Amino acid sequence: MSAGAALLNRLINSSGSRKQLWLALGGAFAGLFLMGACSQAYITFNRILSKQKDLLGADFLVVNKKVSLLNTISGSAGRFSNEDIKALSLLQGVSNVGAFRSSDFKVRAHFQAGLGTDIPGLTTDLFFESVPDGFLELDDVHWEWQPGDAELPLIIPSDYLKMYNFGFARGQGLPIVPESVLKSIRFDVLISGNGKSGYYKAYIAGFTERVPSVLVPDAFLEWANKEYGSGSNPRPDRLIIAAKDPASPAISRFFSEHTYEIAGGDKLKTSRINTLLLMVLSVVLTLGFLVVVLSLLGLIQFSQILAFRAARDIRVLFLLGYPPGMISAPIALAFGRMLAGVAVVSFLASGMAHYFMYRFLKEKGFQASAWPSWESLLLMFLVAAILYGYTLVSLRRSVRSICRE
Amino acid sequence: MALIFDHILPAPLADSAVDGSFWRSRSEVAAGRHLAIIAASGRGKSTLVNIAYGIRHDYSGAYHIDGKKADTLSLEDWSLLRQNTMSCVFQDLKLFPQLSARQNLLLKCQLNEGIKLSEAEAMAERLGMNAYLDKPCGQLSMGQQQRIAVVRALCQPFRYLFLDEPTSHLDRDNTKKVMELVMEQAEQQKAAVIITGLDQDYHLPESFEQLTI
């Protein structure tokens, strides 16, 4: 180490300023750890939750009118009028209202035994419904149909599969079927009505937990109702609503007053809890960021006090011919080493916190990686680098200002 | 290649400087020129050295260093000049009292690869300082500190050497030794020397011109 570096290192290690340095470094550790651990938890929970994501987005609701003896007698049988739809559209927080289209023809599905699975041959009557495509989150699903297409994609409630697997299959001694296998099966669908009939090869394109219906592309149902339907255009009995906050008190009150029912309401609550969890993590992450900012202020102040205390020596070194950059370099290096140490300890601590979270989640039956995510490490590295960068800039400014005096 | 003081007038002397003196005229100090500025206190001897070495900037007029206007130089430019072109013995010495005399010399030697600490130690020995090299400068007498400050100023290449009352705390014998060493180094480097003092008792060679300010 050069004599100049040794001199400056001696100054940085002066006992008077150590307390503040340790305080600032402690703050940097706390902030980095909080950010690392929270970003890690955020990413982990987000991954777990996205695996449970429904094809119907969290911001959508499916509602129907409660079927009561009164509206059964009156004949309206729970259908929505144009006024009902208009009132819903005007509700605060509601951005779009779409109507379910129902099939106006007979549908019969036939599963052929075999087909590479142990599913027995099965014939059943079905019904179809559709919603405008914009209401579905169909990133990974082929959901297009045009007249002439022989294949028909379907979205069915995941409860149907559960009913088969854990009810019917168990009771009949049949094997259970995973989603992936069911998606690979093509089965026949016979549509008839209006004196016509047609065969389609249907397949299950996806599952939903929020819509208790068999969905087909809206384009298909629009075409098929004209082709095979009676020509009547009944009012919808279910609506799909896009809302910024589906569980807002205003919407809940409106539904309660009009005796509307929300399909999959319990799932909506789960979705709200998930959103709240991610929100809490975001708040703690922000808190970590604030602690980092505070520690940054501490470090900047420390570097300024350090430069102020060493002002006479810095000035003399400059007058001897030391450039400002060379004067601040040993202090910058010492800061760099200290912050790198703090960053490594924070990395390790947040890694350990993640491991404990992983074990906890595993015990609860959730799948998560035991290793910290690279995004989280990158975030910590970037924050530590920014912390160092700002401290360095402040230190250099102080040194240059002293040299200029 | 020269220092040009073009009607330089330091702010504190704006009212007292006499017309036709150094302050209100144009002076050029080229390599090899030796100037002695002998004047009473308060006439601006140290101010001149401080302006020439870039410590003070509160003056009117123009000061050029090798063709460059001093007030346009960056901090880095000044550092380079002080490494290779100009050197100074400050009136207040500007040593690091917590460092030993040897460490103080080392600080300067490290700036130039061509200068070895052993050469600095040899110069210190000529001034009778080798027994004190490992003592913290803060524990040395003013005369001893002054000799270390002179050696430190000589531990670099220079074309302009400024000495601000460099022997004010030395006896006649040590003053003679210091001036011999200074002139020997200045001649080796073909440098201009500007020396300030209260009287002419410097053992100055005849090559020195006396300047009134």
Side-chain angles (χ1 to χ4, degrees):
Chain A
M1 187 185 286
S2 72
L7 169 70
L8 287 161
N9 274 337
R10 196 185 291 184
L11 292 165
I12 201 173
N13 286 325
S14 66
S15 56
S17 49
R18 260 190 170 169
K19 246 184 212 171
Q20 194 182 357
L21 175 66
W22 285 118
L23 207 67
L25 290 176
F29 165 76
L32 281 174
F33 169 72
L34 271 178
M35 288 191 78
C38 287
S39 62
Q40 191 59 67
Y42 188 95
I43 290 164
T44 305
F45 284 122
N46 216 12
R47 279 184 188 155
I48 289 172
L49 296 175
S50 66
K51 278 181 193 164
Q52 301 170 342
K53 202 172 159 188
D54 199 273
L55 290 170
L56 191 69
D59 298 339
F60 295 102
L61 288 170
V62 173
V63 290
N64 57 268
K65 285 188 173 179
K66 200 167 186 176
V67 178
S68 65
L69 186 61
L70 186 68
N71 58 27
T72 310
I73 293 166
S74 70
S76 60
R79 292 192 185 275
F80 287 96
S81 66
N82 287 338
E83 287 72 29
D84 292 335
I85 295 172
K86 195 177 174 189
L88 270 168
S89 322
L90 294 173
L91 207 58
Q92 194 183 2
V94 171
S95 56
N96 202 1
V97 178
F100 272 69
R101 196 192 298 274
S102 302
S103 52
D104 187 22
F105 45 80
K106 285 186 175 174
V107 182
R108 174 159 286 202
H110 175 67
F111 290 89
Q112 201 180 331
L115 291 174
T117 71
D118 295 327
I119 302 173
L122 183 72
T123 301
T124 180
D125 284 334
L126 270 183
F127 65 97
F128 287 154
E129 280 187 297
S130 72
V131 294
D133 292 348
F135 287 90
L136 297 170
E137 291 182 359
L138 298 163
D139 301 338
D140 308 321
V141 178
H142 178 74
W143 193 248
E144 280 169 17
W145 188 91
Q146 44 194 348
D149 285 356
E151 290 208 326
L152 183 62
L154 308 178
I155 292 173
I156 66 165
S158 49
D159 283 346
Y160 281 20
L161 183 61
K162 285 175 192 159
M163 276 167 62
Y164 171 82
N165 279 337
F166 308 118
F168 186 73
R170 294 274 190 241
Q172 301 292 315
L174 294 167
I176 58 167
V177 184
E179 279 188 7
S180 55
V181 170
L182 203 57
K183 278 183 178 178
S184 66
I185 296 170
R186 298 287 188 273
F187 55 94
D188 294 324
V189 166
L190 171 65
I191 292 174
S192 58
N194 200 19
K196 300 174 192 170
S197 65
Y199 270 104
Y200 294 90
K201 281 284 177 196
Y203 65 94
I204 292 162
F207 295 87
T208 174
E209 293 196 340
R210 306 263 308 276
V211 189
S213 185
V214 179
L215 295 177
V216 290
D218 202 33
F220 170 78
L221 208 53
E222 190 183 2
W223 175 85
N225 274 350
K226 280 180 196 160
E227 190 74 9
Y228 304 106
S230 62
S232 68
N233 197 9
R235 283 180 293 160
D237 48 17
R238 282 203 283 191
L239 297 177
I240 183 162
I241 297 166
K244 201 173 177 184
D245 181 8
S248 80
I251 294 176
S252 301
R253 201 179 316 119
F254 185 90
F255 287 173
S256 167
E257 283 168 8
H258 291 77
T259 60
Y260 292 172
E261 285 180 332
I262 303 168
D266 55 334
K267 302 284 188 323
L268 185 70
K269 277 179 197 159
T270 311
S271 157
R272 288 285 295 163
I273 291 166
N274 293 342
T275 310
L276 271 175
L277 175 70
L278 294 180
M279 226 161 81
V280 168
L281 284 172
S282 306
V283 169
V284 183
L285 191 69
T286 311
L287 203 69
F289 179 71
L290 286 177
V291 175
V292 167
V293 170
L294 282 177
S295 80
L296 172 66
L297 294 177
L299 279 172
I300 287 175
Q301 197 188 25
F302 174 76
S303 74
Q304 284 170 348
I305 289 172
L306 183 76
F308 175 73
R309 282 188 180 160
R312 190 256 173 195
D313 294 328
I314 288 171
R315 180 97 178 119
V316 172
L317 284 170
F318 176 62
L319 291 179
L320 291 181
Y322 279 80
M326 204 167 162
I327 297 170
S328 54
I331 310 177
L333 188 69
F335 267 126
R337 282 181 182 151
M338 285 186 280
L339 273 175
V342 165
V344 168
V345 174
S346 312
F347 288 162
L348 293 175
S350 68
M352 278 176 70
H354 170 72
Y355 183 71
F356 287 124
M357 185 178 70
Y358 155 76
R359 284 182 57 180
F360 173 77
L361 288 171
K362 201 178 168 190
E363 275 172 23
K364 302 287 171 197
F366 290 104
Q367 288 286 318
S369 167
W371 293 97
S373 74
W374 66 267
E375 293 99 328
S376 173
L377 291 178
L378 182 70
L379 175 76
M380 290 178 79
F381 172 77
L382 282 177
V383 172
I386 290 169
L387 206 61
Y388 180 57
Y390 266 101
T391 312
L392 206 62
V393 168
S394 162
L395 174 72
R396 283 186 177 163
R397 273 192 193 155
S398 303
V399 168
R400 288 186 78 82
S401 147
I402 290 167
C403 291
R404 215 173 272 122
E405 276 169 13
Chain B
M1 303 295 251
L3 304 180
I4 297 170
F5 300 90
D6 193 0
H7 292 84
I8 288 288
L9 187 59
L13 300 175
D15 299 327
S16 58
V18 185
D19 276 348
S21 72
F22 174 85
W23 294 122
R24 294 189 188 272
S25 59
R26 190 179 190 277
S27 297
E28 192 169 322
V29 182
R33 191 176 177 193
H34 300 159
L35 280 177
I37 301 164
I38 311 294
S41 293
R43 300 296 297 273
K45 299 186 298 292
S46 294
T47 304
L48 171 60
V49 169
N50 288 344
I51 289 171
Y53 196 67
I55 299 173
R56 290 186 74 144
H57 305 278
D58 55 339
Y59 58 84
S60 58
Y63 168 44
H64 292 87
I65 304 166
D66 294 343
K68 282 182 187 165
K69 220 175 161 202
D71 54 14
T72 63
L73 297 175
S74 68
L75 296 177
E76 284 72 20
D77 291 336
W78 278 110
S79 297
L80 271 177
L81 281 172
R82 289 163 186 163
Q83 284 173 27
N84 304 309
T85 308
M86 51 174 62
S87 191
C88 185
V89 176
F90 308 97
Q91 194 181 50
D92 59 355
L93 306 179
K94 299 197 191 301
L95 293 168
F96 294 99
Q98 68 273 48
L99 298 185
S100 70
R102 198 189 307 276
Q103 284 173 319
N104 269 279
L105 297 178
L106 186 63
L107 266 176
K108 189 70 178 174
C109 292
Q110 278 185 336
L111 277 174
N112 292 90
E113 285 179 6
I115 308 291
K116 289 179 185 156
L117 181 63
S118 56
E119 293 172 40
E121 286 168 344
M123 286 192 269
E125 193 176 351
R126 276 182 62 180
L127 300 184
M129 286 302 297
N130 56 329
Y132 305 99
L133 285 177
D134 290 319
K135 270 196 164 186
C137 275
Q139 292 178 18
L140 298 179
S141 72
M142 282 307 289
Q144 288 166 334
Q145 287 186 42
Q146 216 158 24
R147 279 176 276 170
I148 291 298
V150 169
V151 173
R152 185 180 67 179
L154 300 176
C155 291
Q156 68 164 88
F158 55 83
R159 270 187 284 121
Y160 310 103
L161 179 64
F162 308 107
L163 303 114
D164 194 2
E165 302 189 22
T167 57
S168 56
H169 294 279
L170 298 180
D171 55 36
R172 288 178 67 89
D173 189 36
N174 277 314
T175 299
K176 192 177 172 218
K177 283 181 190 169
V178 163
M179 288 314 296
E180 276 173 7
L181 180 65
V182 165
M183 293 318 293
E184 191 183 296
Q185 292 294 317
E187 271 161 31
Q188 264 181 27
Q189 305 214 32
K190 296 182 175 54
V193 179
I194 297 179
I195 190 166
T196 71
L198 295 170
D199 55 45
Q200 297 178 40
D201 194 14
Y202 268 137
H203 304 275
L204 293 175
E206 286 178 359
S207 60
F208 270 86
E209 306 162 44
Q210 193 171 321
L211 193 75
T212 309
I213 59 169

